[in-house]
mmCIF file of all heavy atoms in Angstrom:
data_model
loop_
_atom_site.group_PDB
_atom_site.id
_atom_site.type_symbol
_atom_site.label_atom_id
_atom_site.label_comp_id
_atom_site.label_asym_id
_atom_site.label_seq_id
_atom_site.Cartn_x
_atom_site.Cartn_y
_atom_site.Cartn_z
ATOM 1 N N LYS A 1 53.913 86.660 70.413
ATOM 2 C CA LYS A 1 53.351 87.735 69.581
ATOM 3 C C LYS A 1 52.581 88.718 70.439
ATOM 4 O O LYS A 1 52.795 89.978 70.238
ATOM 5 C CB LYS A 1 52.409 87.109 68.482
ATOM 6 C CG LYS A 1 51.984 88.201 67.506
ATOM 7 C CD LYS A 1 52.973 88.670 66.580
ATOM 8 C CE LYS A 1 52.590 89.394 65.434
ATOM 9 N NZ LYS A 1 52.002 90.795 65.677
ATOM 10 N N VAL A 2 51.889 88.225 71.378
ATOM 11 C CA VAL A 2 51.040 89.220 72.311
ATOM 12 C C VAL A 2 52.071 90.053 73.082
ATOM 13 O O VAL A 2 51.827 91.205 73.174
ATOM 14 C CB VAL A 2 50.200 88.228 73.222
ATOM 15 C CG1 VAL A 2 49.574 89.181 74.411
ATOM 16 C CG2 VAL A 2 49.123 87.725 72.441
ATOM 17 N N ARG A 3 53.187 89.458 73.525
ATOM 18 C CA ARG A 3 54.167 90.110 74.308
ATOM 19 C C ARG A 3 54.872 91.132 73.463
ATOM 20 O O ARG A 3 55.168 92.286 73.780
ATOM 21 C CB ARG A 3 55.116 89.266 74.916
ATOM 22 C CG ARG A 3 54.519 88.392 76.177
ATOM 23 C CD ARG A 3 55.433 87.285 76.572
ATOM 24 N NE ARG A 3 56.671 87.644 77.049
ATOM 25 C CZ ARG A 3 57.695 86.954 77.335
ATOM 26 N NH1 ARG A 3 57.678 85.597 76.909
ATOM 27 N NH2 ARG A 3 58.843 87.420 77.665
ATOM 28 N N SER A 4 55.149 90.674 72.154
ATOM 29 C CA SER A 4 55.790 91.633 71.250
ATOM 30 C C SER A 4 54.969 92.866 70.897
ATOM 31 O O SER A 4 55.556 93.906 70.817
ATOM 32 C CB SER A 4 56.286 90.796 70.028
ATOM 33 O OG SER A 4 56.848 91.667 69.050
ATOM 34 N N GLU A 5 53.798 92.605 70.756
ATOM 35 C CA GLU A 5 52.873 93.810 70.464
ATOM 36 C C GLU A 5 52.662 94.753 71.657
ATOM 37 O O GLU A 5 52.207 95.847 71.300
ATOM 38 C CB GLU A 5 51.439 93.268 69.947
ATOM 39 C CG GLU A 5 51.489 92.409 68.586
ATOM 40 C CD GLU A 5 50.188 91.830 68.240
ATOM 41 O OE1 GLU A 5 49.299 91.810 69.163
ATOM 42 O OE2 GLU A 5 50.028 91.574 67.139
ATOM 43 N N ALA A 6 53.150 94.376 72.699
ATOM 44 C CA ALA A 6 52.837 95.216 73.965
ATOM 45 C C ALA A 6 54.146 96.267 74.131
ATOM 46 O O ALA A 6 54.184 96.992 75.077
ATOM 47 C CB ALA A 6 52.717 94.318 75.216
ATOM 48 N N ILE A 7 55.078 96.139 73.252
ATOM 49 C CA ILE A 7 56.304 96.997 73.296
ATOM 50 C C ILE A 7 56.134 98.079 72.345
ATOM 51 O O ILE A 7 55.793 97.925 71.229
ATOM 52 C CB ILE A 7 57.565 96.201 72.902
ATOM 53 C CG1 ILE A 7 57.656 94.896 73.847
ATOM 54 C CG2 ILE A 7 58.709 97.093 73.013
ATOM 55 C CD1 ILE A 7 58.955 94.082 73.493
ATOM 56 N N PRO A 8 56.361 99.404 72.644
ATOM 57 C CA PRO A 8 56.546 99.855 74.096
ATOM 58 C C PRO A 8 55.299 99.705 74.859
ATOM 59 O O PRO A 8 54.161 99.914 74.473
ATOM 60 C CB PRO A 8 57.099 101.236 73.913
ATOM 61 C CG PRO A 8 56.273 101.691 72.674
ATOM 62 C CD PRO A 8 56.214 100.470 71.760
ATOM 63 N N GLU A 9 55.397 99.305 76.164
ATOM 64 C CA GLU A 9 54.356 99.048 77.063
ATOM 65 C C GLU A 9 53.655 100.291 77.304
ATOM 66 O O GLU A 9 52.397 100.249 77.494
ATOM 67 C CB GLU A 9 54.857 98.429 78.387
ATOM 68 C CG GLU A 9 55.454 97.055 78.285
ATOM 69 C CD GLU A 9 55.891 96.475 79.580
ATOM 70 O OE1 GLU A 9 55.738 97.097 80.534
ATOM 71 O OE2 GLU A 9 56.399 95.279 79.545
ATOM 72 N N ASP A 10 54.243 101.378 77.375
ATOM 73 C CA ASP A 10 53.586 102.666 77.591
ATOM 74 C C ASP A 10 53.690 103.513 76.392
ATOM 75 O O ASP A 10 54.598 104.195 76.171
ATOM 76 C CB ASP A 10 54.250 103.434 78.848
ATOM 77 C CG ASP A 10 53.489 104.716 79.155
ATOM 78 O OD1 ASP A 10 52.639 105.036 78.552
ATOM 79 O OD2 ASP A 10 54.115 105.463 80.060
ATOM 80 N N PRO A 11 52.587 103.672 75.628
ATOM 81 C CA PRO A 11 52.753 104.512 74.396
ATOM 82 C C PRO A 11 52.788 105.954 74.610
ATOM 83 O O PRO A 11 53.117 106.747 73.757
ATOM 84 C CB PRO A 11 51.267 104.131 73.718
ATOM 85 C CG PRO A 11 50.329 103.680 74.781
ATOM 86 C CD PRO A 11 51.318 103.139 75.820
ATOM 87 N N GLU A 12 52.498 106.366 75.850
ATOM 88 C CA GLU A 12 52.725 107.763 76.157
ATOM 89 C C GLU A 12 54.048 108.076 76.692
ATOM 90 O O GLU A 12 54.247 109.235 77.150
ATOM 91 C CB GLU A 12 51.661 108.172 77.209
ATOM 92 C CG GLU A 12 50.139 107.872 76.756
ATOM 93 C CD GLU A 12 49.868 108.645 75.592
ATOM 94 O OE1 GLU A 12 50.199 109.791 75.399
ATOM 95 O OE2 GLU A 12 49.017 108.013 74.723
ATOM 96 N N SER A 13 54.959 107.130 76.653
ATOM 97 C CA SER A 13 56.297 107.324 77.294
ATOM 98 C C SER A 13 56.908 108.392 76.395
ATOM 99 O O SER A 13 56.787 108.583 75.350
ATOM 100 C CB SER A 13 57.045 106.118 77.190
ATOM 101 O OG SER A 13 58.506 106.261 77.377
ATOM 102 N N GLU A 14 57.822 109.292 77.133
ATOM 103 C CA GLU A 14 58.402 110.387 76.460
ATOM 104 C C GLU A 14 59.772 110.043 75.985
ATOM 105 O O GLU A 14 60.514 110.812 75.462
ATOM 106 C CB GLU A 14 58.628 111.528 77.594
ATOM 107 C CG GLU A 14 57.296 112.128 77.869
ATOM 108 C CD GLU A 14 57.482 113.245 78.996
ATOM 109 O OE1 GLU A 14 58.517 113.696 79.354
ATOM 110 O OE2 GLU A 14 56.436 113.837 79.334
ATOM 111 N N ARG A 15 60.091 108.712 76.171
ATOM 112 C CA ARG A 15 61.396 108.265 75.570
ATOM 113 C C ARG A 15 61.524 108.453 74.156
ATOM 114 O O ARG A 15 60.516 108.199 73.348
ATOM 115 C CB ARG A 15 61.542 106.760 75.974
ATOM 116 C CG ARG A 15 61.894 106.418 77.388
ATOM 117 C CD ARG A 15 62.513 104.986 77.559
ATOM 118 N NE ARG A 15 62.908 104.874 78.888
ATOM 119 C CZ ARG A 15 62.060 104.154 79.820
ATOM 120 N NH1 ARG A 15 61.031 103.642 79.384
ATOM 121 N NH2 ARG A 15 62.483 104.017 80.985
ATOM 122 N N ASP A 16 62.630 108.853 73.652
ATOM 123 C CA ASP A 16 62.860 109.040 72.380
ATOM 124 C C ASP A 16 63.420 107.894 71.565
ATOM 125 O O ASP A 16 64.681 107.596 71.726
ATOM 126 C CB ASP A 16 63.937 110.296 72.015
ATOM 127 C CG ASP A 16 64.113 110.710 70.703
ATOM 128 O OD1 ASP A 16 63.224 110.139 69.784
ATOM 129 O OD2 ASP A 16 64.980 111.511 70.367
ATOM 130 N N TRP A 17 62.536 107.072 71.055
ATOM 131 C CA TRP A 17 62.998 105.801 70.467
ATOM 132 C C TRP A 17 63.930 106.068 69.290
ATOM 133 O O TRP A 17 63.613 106.955 68.439
ATOM 134 C CB TRP A 17 61.880 104.873 70.043
ATOM 135 C CG TRP A 17 61.198 104.204 71.161
ATOM 136 C CD1 TRP A 17 60.358 104.700 71.990
ATOM 137 C CD2 TRP A 17 61.400 102.880 71.434
ATOM 138 N NE1 TRP A 17 60.004 103.723 72.897
ATOM 139 C CE2 TRP A 17 60.584 102.638 72.584
ATOM 140 C CE3 TRP A 17 62.099 101.764 70.886
ATOM 141 C CZ2 TRP A 17 60.602 101.368 73.097
ATOM 142 C CZ3 TRP A 17 62.021 100.491 71.518
ATOM 143 C CH2 TRP A 17 61.193 100.292 72.482
ATOM 144 N N SER A 18 65.111 105.343 69.203
ATOM 145 C CA SER A 18 65.953 105.476 68.116
ATOM 146 C C SER A 18 65.249 104.700 66.891
ATOM 147 O O SER A 18 64.616 103.679 67.095
ATOM 148 C CB SER A 18 67.322 105.052 68.265
ATOM 149 O OG SER A 18 67.340 103.641 68.299
ATOM 150 N N THR A 19 65.549 105.139 65.651
ATOM 151 C CA THR A 19 64.914 104.462 64.595
ATOM 152 C C THR A 19 65.409 102.985 64.473
ATOM 153 O O THR A 19 64.625 102.017 64.168
ATOM 154 C CB THR A 19 65.422 105.170 63.305
ATOM 155 O OG1 THR A 19 64.877 106.391 63.128
ATOM 156 C CG2 THR A 19 64.871 104.457 61.940
ATOM 157 N N GLU A 20 66.703 102.779 64.705
ATOM 158 C CA GLU A 20 67.275 101.342 64.675
ATOM 159 C C GLU A 20 66.701 100.571 65.808
ATOM 160 O O GLU A 20 66.407 99.291 65.440
ATOM 161 C CB GLU A 20 68.823 101.569 64.666
ATOM 162 C CG GLU A 20 69.488 102.429 63.685
ATOM 163 C CD GLU A 20 69.468 103.771 63.930
ATOM 164 O OE1 GLU A 20 69.054 104.239 65.135
ATOM 165 O OE2 GLU A 20 69.815 104.610 63.223
ATOM 166 N N ALA A 21 66.578 100.969 66.860
ATOM 167 C CA ALA A 21 66.032 100.323 68.102
ATOM 168 C C ALA A 21 64.484 99.830 67.717
ATOM 169 O O ALA A 21 64.054 98.644 67.966
ATOM 170 C CB ALA A 21 66.048 100.991 69.316
ATOM 171 N N MET A 22 63.781 100.667 67.253
ATOM 172 C CA MET A 22 62.327 100.487 66.972
ATOM 173 C C MET A 22 62.177 99.602 65.726
ATOM 174 O O MET A 22 61.422 98.664 65.707
ATOM 175 C CB MET A 22 61.500 101.707 66.563
ATOM 176 C CG MET A 22 60.165 101.561 66.291
ATOM 177 S SD MET A 22 59.207 100.846 67.816
ATOM 178 C CE MET A 22 59.167 102.463 68.829
ATOM 179 N N ASP A 23 63.127 99.668 64.722
ATOM 180 C CA ASP A 23 63.151 98.649 63.587
ATOM 181 C C ASP A 23 63.458 97.272 63.908
ATOM 182 O O ASP A 23 62.987 96.292 63.397
ATOM 183 C CB ASP A 23 63.976 99.221 62.435
ATOM 184 C CG ASP A 23 63.349 100.519 61.811
ATOM 185 O OD1 ASP A 23 62.274 100.753 61.854
ATOM 186 O OD2 ASP A 23 64.144 101.250 61.184
ATOM 187 N N CYS A 24 64.280 97.078 64.965
ATOM 188 C CA CYS A 24 64.710 95.767 65.543
ATOM 189 C C CYS A 24 63.467 95.232 66.062
ATOM 190 O O CYS A 24 63.110 94.087 65.695
ATOM 191 C CB CYS A 24 65.752 96.137 66.627
ATOM 192 S SG CYS A 24 65.998 94.484 67.613
#
């Protein structure tokens, strides 16, 4: 759970997360 909560590791990342990837 601790590791899961750390994703994404960099909250300032400029990556454009897809809805489906984030929902997974």
Side-chain angles (χ1 to χ4, degrees):
K1 187 71 168 67
V2 170
R3 291 167 61 193
S4 175
E5 290 175 344
I7 304 173
E9 295 179 1
D10 180 6
E12 303 301 322
S13 170
E14 295 182 359
R15 287 198 177 97
D16 184 14
W17 280 80
S18 76
T19 298
E20 301 83 4
M22 186 61 77
D23 287 343
C24 166

